[in-house]
Amino acid sequence: MLSEMLGSALEPHTVHEAADAHSALILCRDLAPELVLMDVDLPDANGMALTTTIKTLHPGARVVILSSHRNQVYQDAARAVGATAYVFKDEIHARLLPLLAALLADRPDHI
């Protein structure tokens, strides 16, 4: 559902979706994305660890962590692994879409 919403909201950019960490790494290797939306809780990996791997492979990629965890420890961990932003899942409409649009328009001052 999120993928469909993002696809229409962020045109002309292409949205790709991965069901797990392994698939995400293959997509990142093949596509070298400029922006990655990362869930903290993946079925086969930790989203923070995967962010570290993606940032190592593609240092210029901007990673936005999406999580339901409001604990400051998670937000600090996201910063430590190089995430560009940390967005709560209940803020998808209010914060995520404007943030992604700003990042894709290279307006980091709007983060």
Side-chain angles (χ1 to χ4, degrees):
M1 181 173 73
L2 180 59
S3 179
E4 289 177 22
M5 179 181 69
L6 292 176
S8 61
L10 300 176
E11 280 191 75
H13 299 281
T14 303
V15 175
H16 298 275
E17 182 177 11
D20 55 37
H22 178 74
S23 302
L25 283 175
I26 291 170
L27 280 173
C28 286
R29 182 195 68 212
D30 294 347
L31 302 174
E34 61 181 290
L35 180 61
V36 175
L37 182 59
M38 177 68 64
D39 197 323
V40 170
D41 300 312
L42 300 169
D44 62 340
N46 175 290
M48 299 293 186
L50 184 57
T51 296
T52 299
T53 302
I54 290 171
K55 293 292 288 179
T56 300
L57 293 171
H58 303 288
R62 292 168 289 179
V63 179
V64 175
I65 302 285
L66 185 62
S67 177
S68 58
H69 301 287
R70 292 191 172 274
N71 189 316
Q72 187 66 42
V73 171
Y74 284 90
Q75 295 171 56
D76 293 343
R79 227 176 272 110
V81 297
T84 302
Y86 186 96
V87 177
F88 301 121
K89 288 184 178 180
D90 62 358
E91 296 178 337
I92 287 173
H93 294 289
R95 184 158 178 254
L96 181 63
L97 291 177
L99 170 66
L100 295 179
L103 288 171
L104 289 170
D106 287 322
R107 296 186 332 245
D109 57 308
H110 290 102
I111 297 174

